[in-house]
Amino acid sequence: MSGKRDILITEVALRDGSHAINHQFTVEQVVSVARALDEANVPFIEVSHGDGLAGSSLQYGLSRTNEMELIEAAVSVCKQATVGVLLLPGIGTIKDLNAAVKLGVGMARIATHVTEADISAQHIARSKELGLFTVGFLMMSHMAPPEKLVEQAKLMESYGADAVYVVDSAGALLPHEVAERIRALKQSIGVEIGFHAHNNLSLAMANTLAAIQEGATRIDGSVRCLGAGAGNTQTEVLVAVLERMGIETGIDLYKMMDLAEEIVAPILQVPQEITRDSLVLGYAGVYSSFRLHAERAAKKFGIDSRDILIELGKRKAVGGQEDMIIDVAAEILKQRSAAGLR
Amino acid sequence: MSGKRDILITEVALRDGSHAINHQFTVEQVVSVARALDEANVPFIEVSHGDGLAGSSLQYGLSRTNEMELIEAAVSVCKQATVGVLLLPGIGTIKDLNAAVKLGVGMARIATHVTEADISAQHIARSKELGLFTVGFLMMSHMAPPEKLVEQAKLMESYGADAVYVVDSAGALLPHEVAERIRALKQSIGVEIGFHAHNNLSLAMANTLAAIQEGATRIDGSVRCLGAGAGNTQTEVLVAVLERMGIETGIDLYKMMDLAEEIVAPILQVPQEITRDSLVLGYAGVYSSFRLHAERAAKKFGIDSRDILIELGKRKAVGGQEDMIIDVAAEILKQRSAAGLR
């Protein structure tokens, strides 16, 4: 295997993929996936609850296995790969990070909403003190224009981040929107730039290629698309496409294909297709947590939940603003009545 | 519904999708899908065996239902949509086309290998005589450089085709390769240009957007990705993406989403994921019919079938050249032995 890597891939199936299987990973599954990823020469493997360290809760979904056990298991079988964790300040704490580091983790990604980088200062600083490769992870990046994204990325850089990611959490960005965001960061920050896609609009690969073209050097993938919604950029397919383009990932394509088919596919309870639900989330550009609330409101007001989600997307509603859903539903009904549509 | 259509979508789930369900469509299924497509204001609906008229055979797979019955059923429920058929000269005949026209078909797509447009002359001429909207359909377009594609498209135009399609049968094209092909056609022919993608490299949407950007005005989609290999550009997702881009298809997004989720998904026996098999076909750029032959040869020679398929792709092997597979396998083994790798 060539040691050369033009693009550094972080495999997120053991973190974002946790959403796809309701956080039911077992130690045995994590061991077999992490070992195969390591043997395929994947450089970074993220292991955490889907919502990051300490995400296991009634609110975000209870994990079947304590994530510290899963992290320890992954570290134990990795010979070359760096195991990383995701941490959302407000959900996970510095204490969780300290515990993960003791287990041998070498990378931490500190994630905030795209306009809230300021809450990552302490966590990024502590991650650097611990000697970790430290990533600032700007979620829901479609909700901020490039200028705002630049401002927030600069904050994370100032706190000490080694790289900043544009994260398309809702799978809502179009390729030209990804390109303009990565381009703006490239012109404004000195650290590495990464990109994390979701496939809700079938654009994960297109957006990933747009990001690479504009200078992103770190890319997230999930083997067999194991991630929230319609999943992420499918890692084994990305490796194949980049090989065809002459871009080296250092990853063994055949081993990744075999891992996807023989180890990961059997873990999936439901295949990673683009369903109506994930398509609506990508089209509206909203949090997946809004879906159930919108469906309840839709039933109550006799309207289509999609109209509610699309309106929430226009208003740039964020997590915690679930109360807005009832207001939006009531307004849609009122407008319809006024227009004589009902 | 606005009558404006910037892009004309042809839905191929009832033709290319036939591959995905081993040609097992029933009249009831075709009626329910075609009716819903018509109600969603899809302008063109293709109905045929996956390999076109008269494709039902031991070689290409036997259809459960006579395709003329399926075509008749689709026509009977379409109020605005034009029902079309696919015809591969050599498989289907003018006689089959005549029969389809009697059932009310309004479009014929005459398909040849990308270098064999000359065999479509009579069929295109006859289709025009019959008053059909007539499309030249250049399959395996990744196997010819843009200049060759232009030459072949010009032939189809000279025979009377109203539009010529670039068809990425193996799902092997990269976005810049699609762009250069569409651009070359746009500069050289006067009729409409279309594009047909497969998602084997997760690039169906990226390639479709590249085609539209370069001037393609006719695009194929398959609802819920129901097509050969990893399927085509997912129609309901395409409609959503184009809406987000301000490009009008005239198609009702919600109705398409509901059709995908409630009618088409239950028809699928196996979900349309990007599996190892479809990824290999896209990566190698070969016919799906080579796969089983390659697996047999691989077993016999103790080598990896993927190495055979990739070598066949490099040699631009075409359908009918299955004999080449054993030669390639033997050569791979010989090279390995010479290099002391076995």
Side-chain angles (χ1 to χ4, degrees):
Chain A
M1 197 105 44
S2 142
K4 185 162 176 282
R5 302 192 198 264
D6 300 316
I7 295 291
L8 290 164
I9 289 182
T10 296
E11 170 60 51
V12 299
L14 298 177
R15 195 278 302 166
D16 212 322
S18 151
H19 291 297
I21 60 163
N22 294 316
H23 320 292
Q24 296 299 300
F25 277 125
T26 63
V27 167
E28 293 69 29
Q29 288 170 340
V30 167
V31 160
S32 60
V33 174
R35 180 183 284 132
L37 288 168
D38 185 67
E39 287 173 356
N41 208 31
V42 171
F44 295 93
I45 303 170
E46 191 167 66
V47 184
S48 305
H49 182 279
D51 295 291
L53 293 180
S56 177
S57 58
L58 285 176
Q59 189 179 355
Y60 298 109
L62 288 167
S63 297
R64 173 170 171 164
T65 314
N66 181 314
E67 70 195 326
M68 292 297 167
E69 281 180 52
L70 300 181
I71 291 166
E72 189 170 23
V75 169
S76 74
V77 293
C78 284
K79 293 188 178 130
Q80 59 76 31
T82 299
V83 174
V85 293
L86 183 75
L87 190 156
L88 279 69
I91 298 178
T93 63
I94 301 254
K95 204 176 144 194
D96 299 313
L97 189 61
N98 291 339
V101 170
K102 282 195 188 136
L103 300 176
V105 156
M107 175 174 74
R109 308 211 291 182
I110 313 299
T112 75
H113 184 70
V114 63
T115 56
E116 295 173 3
D118 58 336
I119 67 167
S120 69
Q122 284 182 300
H123 301 79
I124 288 178
R126 177 61 185 156
S127 175
K128 287 298 293 176
E129 278 170 27
L130 289 166
L132 304 180
F133 186 87
T134 305
V135 174
F137 207 66
L138 289 167
M139 300 186 294
M140 300 294 272
S141 278
H142 74 285
M143 295 180 85
E147 317 80 74
K148 185 72 184 174
L149 202 63
V150 164
E151 171 201 295
Q152 299 291 304
K154 279 185 171 173
L155 285 179
M156 286 176 155
E157 185 180 26
S158 76
Y159 306 148
D162 299 303
V164 177
Y165 261 68
V166 174
V167 181
D168 184 16
S169 315
L173 285 170
L174 300 173
H176 73 273
E177 295 170 333
V178 173
E180 65 194 21
R181 280 165 175 74
I182 302 289
R183 198 181 309 135
L185 289 192
K186 189 78 189 163
Q187 289 165 356
S188 316
I189 62 173
V191 297
E192 275 186 275
I193 298 164
F195 181 66
H196 173 100
H198 278 272
N199 201 36
N200 298 343
L201 292 178
S202 199
L203 284 167
M205 190 64 72
N207 287 346
T208 295
L209 297 185
I212 290 172
Q213 187 161 7
E214 296 295 338
T217 50
R218 290 186 171 255
I219 297 292
D220 284 7
S222 67
V223 56
R224 197 74 173 203
C225 254
L226 204 64
N232 309 96
T233 310
Q234 196 168 334
T235 314
E236 69 278 20
V237 184
L238 176 61
V239 170
V241 168
L242 294 181
E243 269 197 37
R244 287 276 311 280
M245 296 174 77
I247 297 172
E248 296 195 34
T249 63
I251 295 174
D252 187 312
L253 175 60
Y254 285 7
K255 286 185 179 167
M256 283 302 291
M257 286 180 177
D258 293 341
L259 162 62
E261 196 76 22
E262 292 160 19
I263 299 178
V264 176
I267 293 175
L268 268 171
Q269 295 149 341
V270 178
Q272 290 292 83
E273 296 172 294
I274 304 178
T275 61
R276 177 168 53 188
D277 285 344
S278 37
L279 173 54
V280 170
L281 295 179
Y283 180 73
V286 294
Y287 284 94
S288 53
S289 61
F290 286 3
R291 194 167 54 77
L292 284 179
H293 294 281
E295 279 170 16
R296 273 188 224 121
K299 210 167 174 187
K300 186 172 165 191
F301 288 86
I303 58 180
D304 194 311
S305 65
R306 293 173 285 202
D307 289 330
I308 301 176
L309 291 168
I310 289 166
E311 183 59 31
L312 289 168
K314 282 183 190 154
R315 296 186 185 191
K316 301 197 184 299
V318 297
Q321 296 186 311
E322 282 80 0
D323 289 350
M324 199 191 274
I325 294 175
I326 293 288
D327 298 343
V328 165
E331 276 178 48
I332 291 172
L333 185 63
K334 200 172 151 192
Q335 282 165 15
R336 298 250 164 118
S337 305
L341 289 172
R342 296 182 53 91
Chain B
M1 199 107 39
S2 144
K4 185 162 175 282
R5 302 192 198 263
D6 301 315
I7 296 291
L8 289 164
I9 289 182
T10 295
E11 170 60 51
V12 299
L14 298 177
R15 196 278 301 166
D16 211 321
S18 151
H19 291 297
I21 60 162
N22 295 315
H23 319 291
Q24 296 300 300
F25 277 124
T26 63
V27 167
E28 293 69 27
Q29 288 170 340
V30 168
V31 160
S32 60
V33 174
R35 179 183 285 133
L37 288 168
D38 185 66
E39 288 173 354
N41 208 31
V42 170
F44 296 93
I45 303 171
E46 192 167 65
V47 184
S48 303
H49 182 280
D51 295 290
L53 292 179
S56 178
S57 59
L58 285 175
Q59 190 179 354
Y60 298 109
L62 287 167
S63 296
R64 172 169 174 166
T65 315
N66 182 313
E67 68 195 329
M68 292 298 167
E69 279 181 54
L70 300 181
I71 292 165
E72 189 171 23
V75 169
S76 74
V77 293
C78 284
K79 293 189 178 126
Q80 60 75 31
T82 299
V83 173
V85 293
L86 183 75
L87 189 157
L88 279 67
I91 298 178
T93 63
I94 301 256
K95 203 176 144 194
D96 299 313
L97 189 60
N98 292 340
V101 169
K102 281 194 189 137
L103 301 176
V105 155
M107 176 174 75
R109 309 210 291 182
I110 313 298
T112 76
H113 184 71
V114 64
T115 55
E116 295 174 4
D118 58 335
I119 67 167
S120 68
Q122 284 182 300
H123 301 77
I124 289 177
R126 178 62 186 153
S127 174
K128 287 298 292 175
E129 279 170 26
L130 289 165
L132 303 180
F133 186 88
T134 305
V135 174
F137 208 66
L138 289 167
M139 300 186 295
M140 299 295 273
S141 278
H142 74 286
M143 294 180 86
E147 316 80 73
K148 185 73 184 172
L149 202 63
V150 164
E151 171 200 296
Q152 298 291 304
K154 279 185 172 175
L155 285 180
M156 286 177 155
E157 184 180 28
S158 76
Y159 306 148
D162 299 302
V164 177
Y165 261 69
V166 174
V167 181
D168 184 17
S169 314
L173 285 170
L174 301 173
H176 73 273
E177 295 171 332
V178 173
E180 66 193 21
R181 281 164 174 74
I182 302 290
R183 199 182 307 135
L185 289 192
K186 190 76 188 163
Q187 289 165 356
S188 317
I189 62 174
V191 297
E192 274 187 275
I193 298 164
F195 180 67
H196 173 102
H198 278 271
N199 201 36
N200 298 342
L201 293 179
S202 199
L203 285 167
M205 190 64 71
N207 287 346
T208 295
L209 297 185
I212 290 172
Q213 188 161 5
E214 295 295 337
T217 51
R218 290 187 171 255
I219 297 292
D220 283 7
S222 66
V223 56
R224 197 72 174 208
C225 253
L226 203 65
N232 309 96
T233 310
Q234 196 168 334
T235 315
E236 69 278 19
V237 184
L238 176 62
V239 170
V241 168
L242 294 181
E243 269 198 37
R244 286 277 311 278
M245 295 174 78
I247 297 172
E248 294 194 35
T249 63
I251 296 174
D252 186 311
L253 175 59
Y254 285 6
K255 286 184 180 166
M256 284 303 291
M257 287 179 176
D258 293 341
L259 161 62
E261 195 75 22
E262 292 160 17
I263 300 178
V264 177
I267 293 175
L268 268 170
Q269 295 149 340
V270 178
Q272 288 293 84
E273 297 172 292
I274 304 177
T275 61
R276 176 168 54 190
D277 285 343
S278 37
L279 173 54
V280 170
L281 295 178
Y283 180 72
V286 293
Y287 284 94
S288 53
S289 61
F290 286 3
R291 193 167 55 76
L292 284 179
H293 294 281
E295 279 171 16
R296 273 187 223 119
K299 210 168 173 184
K300 186 173 165 190
F301 288 87
I303 58 180
D304 194 312
S305 65
R306 292 174 286 202
D307 289 330
I308 301 176
L309 291 168
I310 289 166
E311 183 60 30
L312 289 168
K314 282 184 189 153
R315 296 185 186 192
K316 300 197 185 300
V318 296
Q321 295 185 313
E322 281 79 1
D323 289 350
M324 198 192 274
I325 293 175
I326 294 290
D327 297 342
V328 165
E331 277 178 47
I332 290 172
L333 185 63
K334 200 171 152 193
Q335 283 165 13
R336 297 252 164 118
S337 306
L341 289 172
R342 297 180 51 91

